[in-house]
Amino acid sequence: MYTQSFSVPDGDPAAAKSRVQPISASEAALQASFDQRIDADGRIEPQDWMPEAYRKTLVRQISQHAHSEIVGMLPEGNWISRAPSLKRKAILIAKVQDEGGHGLYLYSAAETLGVSRDQMLDALHTGKAKYSSIFNYPTLTWADVGVIGWLVDGAAIMNQIPLCRCSYGPYARAMVRVCKEESFHQRQGYEALLVMMQQGTVDQQAMVQDAVNRWWWKCLAMFGPPDADSPNSAQGMRWGIKRISNDDLRQKFVDATVPQAKVLGVTLPDPDLKWNESRGHYDYGAIDWDEFWATVNGNGPCNKERLSTRVKAWNEGAWVREAALAHQHKQQQRQHKEAA
Ligand SMILES: [Fe+2]
Ligand SMILES: [Fe+2]
């Protein structure tokens, strides 16, 4: 999945503030050639010089994105053993595995910026690092799995397609494959809901509507705070990390989703949602930002459960990591012996 604009600072305000200014003539020249490449819409690669603030911003954004992918496996993983058919179970397993893979690409991309996977996971497990707050809500019924595919993965695609053109090469390349898989996630969710709405019982149709009611506003909040309250966005745009503003992405998502909801036969729970002829877009109602921030800051319904599940998985996987390292060590010793 998954982004929420990733403009939310992790728990280290001092680091967020640190901006390394060019101090020497040689550093000023490096900064000038970096700026030139950014202005020309070129790519920055791991071996290239980059300003410290650019590097830190990317580490924060890519690691938050990676954490969101692996925490995002949990709400849906919850339904693998209860999927209504073998076909739905196979699709859901494939999707949840994809999300794990997205996490791995993204941790690898962040590692090229000089941060280790252990450091990133430690920040997640100690609650210092943020991840997309959408995953701090529970999946109450099977319809939630369909709605997550349709709306949460749908919102993720809107956020992530512009990241394929991000100025940092490894992040941009990882996003190309991620977006292809997200497209499958969105379609499988929509198709599962379509079957329930067109062939299901009245109770199943009501279950879909209930899930849409619970997820709609949380998906709109996924795009992050309004542009007026996102002071870091301008710098992200300047660096070619962020290409489209939070509000513009949110509008694109609303405009794309309203016709899909009509085909599906569900109502989006917003009395203010209506086509605005003069703007050429749908207007929509006010988002509850207090609820968003409460969840981001650790007080959503599932924050503690998600974190403790991740920590437990990490601890229970310790023997696998130790065995893999012991195996690698043994192989290296064998190679040394053969070379001697
Ligand atoms: Fe996804
Ligand atoms: Fe994903």
Side-chain angles (χ1 to χ4, degrees):
M1 117 73 2
Y2 303 106
T3 53
Q4 60 188 12
S5 96
F6 295 105
S7 55
V8 182
D10 284 335
D12 185 3
K17 271 188 202 153
S18 73
R19 294 269 160 90
V20 178
Q21 298 298 327
I23 44 167
S24 64
S26 65
E27 207 167 14
L30 289 167
Q31 175 78 51
S33 89
F34 171 87
D35 289 342
Q36 213 172 25
R37 196 176 308 175
I38 293 285
D39 290 343
D41 224 4
R43 285 271 161 87
I44 305 298
E45 295 298 337
Q47 68 276 13
D48 295 333
W49 184 91
M50 63 188 83
E52 188 56 13
Y54 175 83
R55 192 187 70 80
K56 281 190 169 150
T57 298
L58 279 168
V59 166
R60 193 186 67 210
Q61 175 166 337
I62 302 173
S63 62
Q64 284 186 5
H65 192 164
H67 300 327
S68 304
E69 299 285 354
I70 62 164
V71 176
M73 297 168 78
L74 303 176
E76 289 179 288
N78 183 31
W79 279 92
I80 289 174
S81 61
R82 293 178 286 165
S85 68
L86 183 60
K87 178 182 143 187
R88 294 293 169 199
K89 188 194 283 270
I91 292 171
L92 185 57
I93 289 172
K95 179 194 190 285
V96 172
Q97 280 183 335
D98 281 353
E99 306 298 10
H102 298 171
L104 297 183
Y105 307 150
L106 290 163
Y107 283 125
S108 299
E111 281 177 316
T112 65
L113 291 156
V115 62
S116 75
R117 196 168 301 206
D118 281 350
Q119 284 172 308
M120 289 185 271
L121 287 170
D122 186 60
L124 174 67
H125 297 157
T126 54
K128 280 191 215 122
K130 301 280 191 244
Y131 55 85
S132 184
S133 58
I134 194 89
F135 302 117
N136 290 315
Y137 295 96
T139 41
L140 302 180
T141 68
W142 170 252
D144 288 45
V145 172
V147 169
I148 287 179
W150 174 38
L151 295 181
V152 176
D153 290 275
I157 295 170
M158 284 293 171
N159 250 330
Q160 291 177 175
I161 284 180
L163 289 172
C164 297
R165 295 185 291 118
C166 162
S167 62
Y168 189 57
Y171 193 25
R173 288 188 288 275
M175 292 320 297
V176 173
R177 178 157 176 184
V178 167
C179 283
K180 286 181 185 161
E181 292 174 347
E182 295 303 351
S183 170
F184 152 64
H185 299 171
Q186 197 266 356
R187 279 153 192 253
Q188 65 82 34
Y190 191 71
E191 196 266 343
L193 296 177
L194 206 56
V195 168
M196 276 192 271
M197 290 304 290
Q198 292 183 347
Q199 298 165 34
T201 63
V202 170
D203 283 349
Q204 286 168 330
Q205 290 166 352
M207 196 164 81
V208 174
Q209 183 62 59
D210 173 64
V212 170
N213 292 348
R214 283 183 288 107
W215 288 95
W216 172 249
W217 288 104
K218 295 163 183 56
C219 290
L220 292 194
M222 273 174 72
F223 294 93
D227 296 343
D229 301 332
S230 305
N232 294 332
S233 279
Q235 182 62 78
M237 295 262 196
R238 167 74 190 86
W239 277 329
I241 297 173
K242 193 168 176 59
R243 299 285 184 177
I244 304 178
S245 81
N246 295 354
D247 285 333
D248 287 351
L249 284 170
R250 193 168 8 247
Q251 185 69 65
K252 275 163 82 83
F253 174 73
V254 171
D255 290 348
T257 308
V258 171
Q260 294 169 1
K262 275 191 193 132
V263 172
L264 207 52
V266 295
T267 306
L268 297 172
D270 179 358
D272 296 324
L273 188 67
K274 57 178 173 301
W275 180 252
N276 182 323
E277 193 64 47
S278 63
R279 288 202 313 124
H281 292 291
Y282 283 94
D283 289 337
Y284 53 91
I287 295 168
D288 182 352
W289 292 109
D290 290 342
E291 191 208 332
F292 172 79
W293 286 113
T295 309
V296 167
N297 291 324
N299 300 314
C302 300
N303 294 56
K304 287 183 183 69
E305 182 189 330
R306 299 292 182 240
L307 212 54
S308 71
T309 307
R310 282 308 321 164
V311 170
K312 184 168 176 274
W314 176 254
N315 291 339
E316 288 179 353
W319 70 272
V320 179
R321 295 189 297 277
E322 283 160 19
L325 284 172
H327 177 68
Q328 188 195 27
H329 184 63
K330 218 188 254 179
Q331 274 190 322
Q332 279 170 347
Q333 279 184 328
R334 202 173 293 154
Q335 276 167 0
H336 282 317
K337 238 184 232 170
E338 281 166 13

